[in-house]
Amino acid sequence: MLFAHIKHSLRRFNKGRIYALLNIAGLTAGISAALMIFLWIAQETSYDRQWPGDPLIYRVSEEINYNNGNHDRFALSGFPLAPSLQEHIPSIDAYCRISYSGNPVLAWLDDESFSVDNFHYVDTNFLEFFEYPVLYGNPKTAFNKPEKAVIDKETALRLFKKENALGESMRIGSKIFIVSAVIDTKAINSHLDPHILIPNTNYPNATVEAYNRDWTRMANYTYIRFMLQPDMGQLRQQMKEWNQKVIEAWIEMHELTWSLDFSVHPIEDVHFSTKFQYDFDGNSNARLIYIFGTIAFFILLLASINYINLSTARAMKRARETGIRKAVGASRNSLMFLYMSEAVFTTLLAFVFALVISELLLPFFGQISGNEEILLSSFSAVQWVLAIVFAILIGMLSGFFPAMVLSSYKAVDSLKGSSMQGSKGSSQNLQLVLRKSLIVFQFFISTSLIFGTLVVYAQMNFMKNSDTGYERDHVLVFNIPRDTLIDKKLPDMRSRFLQNPGVEQVSLTRHLPSKKPGRLTFYIDRDGNWEQQMLSLYTVDQHFADLLKIPVVKGRFFDEKNKTDRETAVVLNEAAVKMLGWENDPLGHRLANGLGVDGKVIGVVKDFHFTSLHNTIEPMALQLLPHRKSYMLLKINVKNLKTTLKDVESQWQEFIGKYPSEYFFLDEDLMNGYQRDEKLFDLFSAFSILGLAISILGLIGLVVYTAEQKTREIGIRKTLGANINQLMFHISSSYFYWLIGGIFLSWPLSWWAMDQWLTDFAYRIGIHPAFYLLSGLFSILLSILSVGIITYKAARTNPVDALRYE
């Protein structure tokens, strides 16, 4: 019977090739999009769910409450946190600390250097705590000596040109490390992506003592593992008691004016945490899962609606077939099964085509989604079964209503050719209303997607072109190698660059507006009482504000002639002045910190965006550089730009010698902070176009059908003098009224959804009326262009042929 149904489906395809192609094309497009989104969602939701066994691992975050309405939440935490928690909470089985990676490090092999990201100090039980597959080496002894290092497989291939790098040596800083193990980090889809790991026994004793003295000195991520699944209510109570006993006693002893709070989060939730400062760069937003899951659902629904519309529209042509089948004894149930099996067969055929298209498009999809590891081969057996079952369900959903309509005709009426009429044509009218209602829904969805794309694009454009509060164009940034000899010669190098007529200004700094700054505790003198506040910290030189054209609104900036500025001067931004309540008279207030500054506010700079526009401008302090510099900034004159760049690159390479020359433009690096938003725009654009294309496919099919049904009417109208434009309008006008209805209905939902999305941005656009007009016009114009070709061809039919039409 199955073979007979397949033969029947193939015969139907052959008799209605255009409709079959439109149905298969729509379903193929919808299933392809849904497959790729499903793969992306499966990849995103698999983070940290692949560890062997049930690891029961949680991450601990730290929050500082300043008791004045301000608070900061950090993914990082204090060094003594983990051992203290384990001592006071018996259910904690083990802990592991991982240092904040910060900037890349240089790994040296003889005289050749390699820049390596994700370099971490870790506790010596790292490989027992996080059970990455160990390709080479013994996980139990991998960190039993300070000079041992663990690297991942990709780093081994890059540095040593082989996977088995056991026993190979490399220099990091002034220390030699021996590779003791090679791990496969790609085998576990985790928010952690370590490239080089060394034991934290390499910390100097003075550093460990400094870390252990200060609970607000957050330098590592803290992970704890429980023996059994913890009772969260009991755990919170235990942590509260621990906080009162340990943390509050420490705060009281140091006479601090703030409080600390701690919370735990399952490791599988870390990838979707975006509310913590200094979290991992690759973390995502869980809201995107719901957004694109909804888009996939609606795109599939659009494809199903196409099938329903085209199948019910052609029901009259199939009425006689139904009558004959009923006359020879077919029951309604058997006919429903036949017509639904036709829909399922069509959907499975589209599913096969969708697999081919998805395989071809996945590299492109991986680029725009930011996850190039998405592959069809990553489907598990269970996921393949689910995908096939889902395709069958889509077929059943698409075919159910057409099967109900076709199987409901009476045999006698069908054979007489009156099957569609019923009482005064009520059945036909009902189906016509249903088809047009589905058109409304299709363009409701596709226009909503276009509206969303326009808003995302406008927000992206706003962020890229907003005034950041400083000049970012033509600023060349050199990474300064960590070398004390180079540090000593940097002033001479600055003078040499300034002799180049194409270089307007040079500045040395440890922080950049395109990089996340550190935060530091400042002690504020309140009439003889010290109050603690944590401020973002920029350590810069005297030329920083001048080079970036940051206005000084009160007082002065640092001055080379004033030799005491390094120990006694602090410059604040306007946000810090406002937070501290010094708007009227900020100058002269006393501040101190642990970096050797105990002095007064000498100036206030205008607020500038030193993080992305996702965040508000935070209170910030600037102080003069200590000995360590990270970047040299060169303001380049646009005249003879190529020549100037060539000269300074050559001079810089000569200056740093064996170190690799690493440089970039500040404005380009700033845009890297918006890569996630750009990927969102690319995805929105692709799926908006796809949704509109599917809707237009359905509309074309219905117009083709309408033109066929009105062939004789077209001939009569042409004979009576109707021109081509009148006939085109007559054929398509009824559908466009419904299309416009769908567009109007889409606007309220679109406004609400995008207004919710824009709440993620501290600085955002307003939803302009132009978005409504453009989304509607885009849908209408593309529909007119697509349908116009069909209606034009129908309107040009020879009236003699039309009047002969049966």
Side-chain angles (χ1 to χ4, degrees), residues 524-526 581-582 585-591 599-601:
I524 316 298
D525 186 357
R526 301 284 193 185
W582 295 339
D585 185 21
L587 303 181
H589 287 279
R590 186 182 174 197
L591 298 93
K600 296 180 179 180
V601 177

Side-chain angles (χ1 to χ4, degrees), residues 435-489:
R435 287 199 300 274
K436 291 184 177 180
S437 298
L438 292 176
I439 289 175
V440 170
F441 183 76
Q442 282 189 307
F443 281 91
F444 168 83
I445 297 302
S446 56
T447 306
S448 296
L449 290 172
I450 294 168
F451 188 99
T453 302
L454 291 172
V455 173
V456 173
Y457 172 77
Q459 178 65 21
M460 281 296 304
N461 196 52
F462 169 75
M463 291 190 296
K464 288 182 176 181
N465 297 303
S466 290
D467 181 13
T468 54
Y470 59 90
E471 277 194 16
R472 60 192 184 187
D473 296 331
H474 306 112
V475 176
L476 187 66
V477 183
F478 285 106
N479 281 319
I480 300 173
R482 294 191 176 187
D483 188 314
T484 53
L485 292 177
I486 287 179
D487 280 347
K488 291 177 181 179
K489 294 188 292 184

